Structures are given as C-alpha cells and as structure tokens.
Amino acid sequence: MKLALLPWALLLLATAPGRGPGPTAGAQESCSLRCGHLEGPCSCHPTCSGLGTCCSDFRDFCLEISPYSGSLMGGKDFVVQKLQWFSATEGVICRFKESIETLGHVDSSRQVHCVSPLLYESGRIPFTVSLDNGRSFPRSGTWLAVHPNKVSEAEKSHLVNETRWQYYGTEGTAGNLSLTWDASALPSPAVTIELWGYEETGKPYSGEWTAKWSYLYPLASNIPNSGFFTFTPKPASSNYQEWRVGALRITDSNNYPGKKDVQALWTNEHALAWHLGDDFREDPVAWALAQCGAWEKLEDELPDFLEELPDCPCTLAQARADSGRFHTDYGCDIEQGSVCTYHPGAVHCVRSVQASPRYGAGQQCCYTADGTQLLTADSSSGSTPDRGHDWGAPPFRTPPRVPGMSHWLYDVLSFYYCCLWAPECSRYMQRRPSNDCRTYRPPRLASAFGDPHFVTFDGTKFTFNGRGEYVLLEAALTDLRVQARAQPRVTSNGTQTRGTGLTAVAVQEDNSDVVEVRLASRAGALEVLLNQEVLSFAEQSWMDLKGMFLSVAAEDGVSVMLASGAGLEVGIQGPFLSVSVLLPEKFLNHTLGLLGTLNNDPTDDFTLRSGEVLPPSASPRDLFQYGASWAVHNASSLLTYDSWFLRQNFLYQPRHDPTFEPLFPGEATLSPSQAHEAAELCGDDPFCNFDVAATGSLSTGNATRVAHQLHQRRVQSLQPVVSCGRLAPPLNGHKDSIRYLAGSTVRFHCNNGYSLAGADTSTCQADGTWSTPTPECQPGRSYAVLFGIIFGGLAVVAAVSLAYVLLRRRKGDMHVWGSQP
C-alpha cells in the first residue's frame, strides 16, 4: 500500500539533532582493518552513516561494490564503489574467505575491480582487497554468492534448446547443437569455450567425501566473440567419460586453458549426454539401464535419509501457509503459470526450506489443482524427496551439501538414467517415494497489526498501544527472540495520536544473524537490515544467511525462515507494519511475550514477565500494564539505533514510555455519520472499529480489517486435517481416486478376467483409518464379462427369434404372390 508520506518519518526528520555528539573535529582515526568496529574517536560500523560518526576514510576501507552478487560458479567482475586509486599499484589481489585469491585490476577510470571465484557455497562471502600485490589486505567487503538458478539470464550463456543437449544421442536426437551469450559481457575479441565436469569422490558421509569442479577440455578455442557458436558433438575420449554432469564456461582466449577464477560466463549445469561415448549412442537405453542399476546399488549401500525429512502438508493451502518450513519450488510455481516440467500433473510444488540435520537431504511436496497431494506411488508426477537438498545446506562446500550440484548427482542424473533415457521410472520412484501427510502437524500462527492489535498463538485477541520497544516472543527452546518498536502515528498537522503502531521488528535465533525489518523513509516501502546494516535487494530477492533464509517480495513483504522451522512474515498494512509468526508444534509450552504462551490454553496468555497471570477478563488498563512488563531490556535489544532520533527517543530512554497515555477501548466516540461509515466498513470487527474511532481515519481502519482477515484466512488454511494414508489399488485392478483425507471415498475396479472379492469402496474416517481394506481381484469372470455373456446371449436369442418371425412372414407372402394372375 502506497502512502503519501509517513508522518512518523516526518517527526523523525524534524526532531533529529544533526550529527550530535559525534567525533571531535580533526580526528584522524582510520578504518583500515577496522570495518565493523564502533570504538575509537570515529566509527567504522554500518550505523555511522546515519549518525554522522564515520571516520573520514570509511568508504575507502569498508567497501561498497557493484554488482554485489553473482553465481557461486564465479567469474563475475565487480567494481569497488567510491574508491578511485590514482597511485601506482604493484597488483590487485582479492581474497575471499581468507584463502581464495583472484586477480583484480585498476581500469582506465582508476576504479578497482575484482573477479568472484568458483565457490561451493551460497551466502554472504567476506573478502579483502590488496593493492600492494598481497603484502597487506586492509580493505574489506562482502560478496553475495547465489545458487546458479537465481542469477539473471543476462549473466549466463545459454544452451539453445537445453533439452536437446541433454537427450543428444538418444533416439531421434542428433545434428548440431548451439550456444549463445551476451558478447558485451566479456571484453574480449576472441573467446574459448570449455567443458567443466563436476564430481563428488571419496567414501560417502565421511571426511573423505569431497566435491570438485574440473576443467575437462576445450570445445572451441580462440573463436570470435560473436555471441553464437554451433557444432556437431563428437564422443569424448574415454578418460573423460566418468563425468556425467557439468557446464560450459566461456572466457577470454588470452587465458590459458582451464585457468581458474577469471572473468567468465557459465551455462546452466546439465546432463552431459552430448559428450558421452559410442556405447551410449549405440544403445542409449541399455546404457542408461546399466547406470540406473548402478545407482540403485549405491542407494542400497547409503543410509536412509527419508526418516529425518519433515512431513509434507496435506493440502496445497497448508503448504503455501506453512512458510516457515516450506517455500515455493521454482520448477513448479502456481504464481508463474504452473510450468511443472518434471511434475506435469501438479500445479504447485514446495520444498522444505531447511535441509535435514544429519544427511543434508530435502523434502519436496507437489499438489494438484484441487489441492490434493501427488504421491509417486500413484503417479510419476508425484513429489520426490532429495538426498541432496537443491539449495544446499550449511556448512556447504562438502557433499551432499553443495548447492545445486549434490542434488544433480544423487537425484537428477539418476532421474535421467531411469526415467528419461530409459523407461524404468518405477525403479527411481521406489527409492524416492513421496512422503504422505499422516503425521504432519501444521504450525501455530500469531499476529500483530494495526494500532496495534494482537492475536496470540492460542487465539486470544487484545489491544496494547504502548510507545516503546517490546518483546513479541521469547522461546528458550531455541533462544528465539522477536522484538518490535511501537511509535505514535503523527497526523498531517504534526500532532501525535493517542494510538501507536509497529514501525520495526527484529528477530534472532540462537547465534544466527539479526534481521530487522522497518518502515523506510520512502512511503509504502520496507527497509531490511542485517546485523544493523541496510541491505539492498536490487539484484537478489533471496539470501542465505547465518541460521536463516530471507526472502523479499517487491517492497512490501519480507519472510524470514529460521533453522528451527519458525517463520516470521512482515508486511505493510496502512501506516504501520503487520507481523505474523509461525511456530512448529515443538514450541508448545516454550513461549512467552506479547504473542502469548503457546499451550492450547488461552486463559494464561496474559502472563507478565514476572510470571503473574492476568485473567482473560482483565481491563484495558490492566492489559496496558501487562504489555509494559514486556518492554525490551537494554542489554538484550536486537533493534538498530542508526539515527540520533532513535537514540534519544529509545536507546537513551526507558524502553516503555511511562508518560504516553494511549486511547483505551471505549474512550473514543464517533459522530453519527462517522459511526455509520465505520459500521458499514468494519461490520463486527472490533479492531477495525477501534482504529477508526482512535484515528478518525477509515483507511486506517480498513487496513486493520484487511490484516485481521488475512490472519483469519491463514489460520483456516492451517487447520489440521486427518489423512488415512495412501490406499493401494488391488493387484490386477485399479482405483478411481488419489485423495486420502477424511471423508474421501475410493472406488476399486478389477481388470478384465478378474472379479472383486471384498467391498468395492472404502472411505477415510475421522479416526484416520479406512472403513474397509483394499479388496482383492481374483481370477475368474468379472462382472463385466458375465454381464457381457448374459446380454450377448439374450441378444443372440432375440436375433434368432426375429429372423424366424421374418422368415415365416416371407413364406406367407410368397404364397399370396404366387396365386396372382
């Protein structure tokens, strides 16, 4: 929702006292080797810009770069902003993660460049820069390495008709293959195209298990940088046949073959059918079946990863609402037209956000248009779990936790062997069975929005409009903390209302990063801070962070997915933030704060920090004291104070303002016309009615009403449902339904030549059991055959009778005709 101007932001600007008590004039302290430090006569901390306390060389040593992100495959050139180097340099070296070095350069405009390296992990990668050929590295910054599927298409070279590349050599697939790229992305008149292969070697799940990209051979050398290349693939020599998955890299021809960490363009990783040997081309089905069998043998030797995967939600509505544990699978997204190449019967799939703790595996869950979960036992379109999570898993770098590539080796390439290059998909599905939802438990939801109003995990509703910073949630189970800042709304004439709303929310779990979401100074937009530094989402909307994942939708929605499976969603509703928190069932009996005590007992939701419990009938003024008891303690604050307004009004003041007198329910009155308009808008929504009365603004009341409805709809989507589990069809028969939730009925049928022994239907009951077991289809005449014989016999009798009658009539007629003259 776009606003003309945020009144609280105007107040912030009007009352900010400028630099304030910053460093004394003439301070010469440097940020060399001090980025992130607060101490000293000047600051090198990210908050110093807003406070005016930065050292004079802050941007010379604490680097901003553009672009700030690229594929973990490396080869991306980036420029250090706000640093021009006019002195002579012996050489630019960029060091990533304290050990991986790439060569940089200073261009003709005196700007410093670095090249990102090939990595085996995603996320924020620290780097340092040397301008004296490696003798010192006083400058530092952060590079964001992302999954190859999350970079823009302009950053890649493209396999023309990628499917053709990956089926090359199979029946009906031959001829030339083509490759395109943006020639302007490589500043070179001539390029080399190289094949690189990926492998993981060593004993699985041991310290010897290693991941490695290897340069294999050039596809073309010193060709014009035209942006297009075509060729007829020849089988690679036998010493390269062990690589079955890889990618092409395009680099400047001046680089020696296989030179690492130089500016380059990569294709998508893909199955290397086009470079396989003559044995594959002569009989691709037999070759693929042999590889499918070898994969089966390996799977039987590896540990079972299925047992530690999270259970799939039972319905599409649950899957989309459980955003702390599941996120859209980009390969099958209902918001993008449901192009589900590997799951053609599905309209939407989700993946588990977090990899499994021990084996780094991932869950996938797919659904039909009516919300039914698709199982591999019923359809080849069903969802398949992954031995290697597609998004990888911390600490990354080692199998099977390498983003994208471990998944390719253990889950995708085997799908090609068994399903795409050979017709034995049932063998793949047997070892990648879908998880049904019999033991799935939806998360619990609590929300805060409007002036502000709260709906706790156990469903208690109340209003607390204090001014200050408060604990929304504390859970010692995982040391999860969610805190929020509430500020008064300021009218257009500059006066404060007696209501407040949330303007900032921060979250941390255990020793994870701290993420804060707050209203930006620009109307209708959010600002996201990571460890007190403002993030840019100009290039990426998804970030892998320490202990969490972060996803941003446009400018008005942020999702935080934590390692425990808890989720936090922050959006804009009217002039304030709306906040929703999702907690898995394991948090039962482990929560405190304004969002209540999650224990299925709403009578103890008003538990003060002291442990005293207010009754559900507590007065609004008593509830105000309850809310005040959950003021944030100074030492434990997660919020950022990067302006003098925030410091003077929150950091240096009591975290709950005891002088602020809010408007309590029942104290506001409306004129008859306002009351009529409010009644038409709000109906029986008490939160909407209160906010209209408190602010005199129908738009504010409407924003509250919408937020409340969104909460209610989500609660409804997360209602538990009963599943009886998959019901198999009878041997030598089939069934007419794949829906296994309470109230669903499955009908059974036998193939011709078989008859049913048992009930022909079974219904999923409320206790999670089927009303009858799967019947048997026994050899013998089926009802259809019997009915065919009976009715066929009757038809023959009828035909014979009719022929007899007609014949008698004809003879009689012939007698009459013969007597005529």
Side-chain angles (χ1 to χ4, degrees), residues 460-624:
T460 301
K461 300 179 180 182
F462 70 99
T463 297
F464 166 66
N465 47 7
R467 179 189 184 278
E469 296 172 349
Y470 304 96
V471 174
L472 297 187
L473 172 66
E474 284 183 353
L477 179 70
T478 61
D479 195 19
L480 171 60
R481 293 176 292 156
V482 182
Q483 300 173 359
R485 178 180 295 137
Q487 296 177 242
R489 183 174 180 270
V490 180
T491 64
S492 56
N493 62 12
T495 60
Q496 292 188 25
T497 65
R498 291 176 61 193
T500 61
L502 303 183
T503 58
V505 178
V507 60
Q508 183 182 36
E509 185 172 52
D510 197 17
N511 65 343
S512 75
D513 286 329
V514 177
V515 167
E516 179 178 346
V517 185
R518 66 188 184 187
L519 291 171
S521 57
R522 183 162 51 91
L526 296 174
E527 193 170 63
V528 183
L529 295 87
L530 175 66
N531 302 325
Q532 303 188 345
E533 180 179 4
V534 177
L535 292 176
S536 168
F537 291 91
E539 298 174 20
Q540 299 295 331
S541 61
W542 175 279
M543 292 188 184
D544 301 0
L545 305 177
K546 182 182 178 183
M548 63 178 68
F549 292 95
L550 179 66
S551 176
V552 173
E555 294 183 323
D556 57 0
V558 176
S559 297
V560 181
M561 293 146 277
L562 299 159
S564 65
L568 176 75
E569 296 200 355
V570 184
I572 299 176
Q573 288 292 347
F576 297 117
L577 299 178
S578 64
V579 181
S580 295
V581 179
L582 294 134
L583 293 182
E585 192 176 55
K586 66 183 179 182
F587 282 90
L588 198 68
N589 299 312
H590 291 288
T591 70
L592 292 169
L594 293 180
L595 295 180
T597 53
L598 172 55
N599 60 2
N600 298 318
D601 180 9
T603 64
D604 64 356
D605 275 346
F606 300 140
T607 300
L608 282 71
R609 190 189 289 269
S610 64
E612 179 186 355
V613 179
L614 298 182
S617 59
S619 69
R621 291 185 179 273
D622 288 339
L623 291 180
F624 188 72

Side-chain angles (χ1 to χ4, degrees), residues 161-486:
N161 191 348
E162 190 169 311
T163 300
R164 181 179 171 82
W165 284 72
Q166 298 184 112
Y167 277 76
Y168 197 91
T170 62
E171 184 178 358
T173 309
N176 287 350
L177 296 177
S178 300
L179 177 72
T180 64
W181 66 93
D182 179 4
S184 65
L186 285 174
S188 171
V191 296
T192 293
I193 303 174
E194 305 169 338
L195 175 62
W196 287 62
Y198 180 82
E199 62 181 340
E200 294 181 356
T201 59
K203 183 180 179 181
Y205 302 102
S206 75
E208 303 168 1
W209 208 8
T210 58
K212 185 180 181 181
W213 277 100
S214 300
Y215 165 72
L216 302 185
Y217 55 83
L219 209 57
S221 300
N222 201 32
I223 64 172
N225 183 14
S226 64
F228 180 80
F229 175 71
T230 189
F231 73 109
T232 301
K234 299 286 191 293
S237 59
S238 58
N239 55 319
Y240 296 124
Q241 292 301 308
E242 63 185 277
W243 282 277
R244 311 286 171 75
V245 61
L248 297 178
R249 188 182 79 157
I250 306 176
T251 68
D252 188 328
S253 287
N254 288 324
N255 297 316
Y256 64 78
K259 184 178 181 181
K260 293 184 64 177
D261 301 329
V262 295
Q263 188 173 356
L265 294 174
W266 291 85
T267 66
N268 285 333
E269 67 277 10
H270 59 280
L272 300 179
W274 58 271
H275 105 133
L276 295 177
D278 288 326
D279 53 346
F280 173 75
R281 297 191 181 189
E282 290 169 2
D283 193 343
V285 173
W287 186 94
L289 285 176
Q291 305 308 315
C292 181
W295 170 75
E296 287 177 310
K297 182 179 179 181
L298 174 63
E299 280 292 308
D300 292 340
E301 296 171 354
L302 295 177
D304 182 6
F305 68 91
L306 299 174
E307 294 180 354
E308 65 171 4
L309 291 177
D311 298 306
C312 279
C314 290
T315 66
L316 176 58
Q318 286 180 335
R320 301 187 71 188
D322 191 353
S323 58
R325 294 183 289 184
F326 295 93
H327 193 269
T328 298
D329 181 342
Y330 300 110
C332 184
D333 183 359
I334 197 170
E335 299 291 341
Q336 300 297 324
S338 298
V339 181
C340 305
T341 304
Y342 295 108
H343 306 278
V347 298
H348 193 72
C349 295
V350 296
R351 290 188 182 276
S352 57
V353 172
Q354 304 291 339
S356 65
R358 184 176 181 185
Y359 297 120
Q363 183 63 280
Q364 183 191 51
C365 315
C366 295
Y367 302 86
T368 63
D370 67 355
T372 299
Q373 186 189 2
L374 268 174
L375 304 180
T376 52
D378 291 324
S379 167
S380 60
S381 297
S383 51
T384 53
D386 304 317
R387 182 171 291 281
H389 197 299
D390 184 28
W391 304 336
F396 302 107
R397 296 187 295 280
T398 58
R401 299 173 178 271
V402 178
M405 299 315 303
S406 294
H407 174 57
W408 252 99
L409 277 187
Y410 303 109
D411 305 298
V412 181
L413 199 56
S414 49
F415 186 78
Y416 276 83
Y417 293 155
C418 304
C419 297
L420 301 182
W421 295 343
E424 294 288 340
C425 208
S426 60
R427 295 165 64 177
Y428 179 87
M429 298 302 176
Q430 183 179 353
R431 286 165 174 77
R432 292 292 184 270
S434 301
N435 166 266
D436 67 24
C437 67
R438 278 176 294 177
T439 56
Y440 171 75
R441 298 293 180 269
R444 298 289 286 274
L445 176 70
S447 299
F449 48 83
D451 200 11
H453 311 290
F454 296 82
V455 184
T456 70
F457 293 108
D458 289 338
T460 301
K461 300 179 180 182
F462 70 99
T463 297
F464 166 66
N465 47 7
R467 179 189 184 278
E469 296 172 349
Y470 304 96
V471 174
L472 297 187
L473 172 66
E474 284 183 353
L477 179 70
T478 61
D479 195 19
L480 171 60
R481 293 176 292 156
V482 182
Q483 300 173 359
R485 178 180 295 137

Side-chain angles (χ1 to χ4, degrees), residues 1-4 6 523-525 556 572-575 699-700 702-704 706:
M1 183 179 295
K2 300 291 182 182
L3 307 176
L6 290 173
D556 57 0
I572 299 176
Q573 288 292 347
S699 64
T700 300
N702 186 55
T704 298
V706 170

Side-chain angles (χ1 to χ4, degrees), residues 682-810:
C682 301
D684 60 355
D685 188 325
F687 294 156
C688 174
N689 279 295
F690 176 82
D691 284 5
V692 172
T695 65
S697 168
L698 288 171
S699 64
T700 300
N702 186 55
T704 298
R705 180 183 64 86
V706 170
H708 194 189
Q709 289 178 341
L710 288 173
H711 171 87
Q712 291 171 321
R713 282 200 291 270
R714 197 162 193 184
V715 167
Q716 186 60 41
S717 295
L718 291 170
Q719 286 300 306
V721 297
V722 173
S723 170
C724 293
R726 178 178 180 267
L727 193 60
L731 186 64
N732 300 310
H734 57 279
K735 60 184 180 182
D736 65 0
S737 177
I738 59 171
R739 190 170 179 85
Y740 309 126
L741 305 183
S744 301
T745 296
V746 176
R747 297 182 183 278
F748 304 100
H749 308 275
C750 289
N751 299 336
N752 285 337
Y754 294 86
S755 59
L756 274 175
D760 63 352
T761 65
S762 186
T763 300
C764 179
Q765 302 174 116
D767 64 357
T769 62
W770 289 100
S771 59
T772 57
T774 298
E776 293 183 2
C777 287
Q778 298 178 342
R781 298 190 183 278
S782 68
Y783 290 124
V785 173
L786 290 175
F787 285 143
I789 293 173
I790 292 171
F791 286 111
L794 291 174
V796 170
V797 171
V800 171
S801 299
L802 179 61
Y804 176 77
V805 171
L806 292 175
L807 183 61
R808 294 276 298 176
R809 286 184 177 179
R810 183 180 179 188

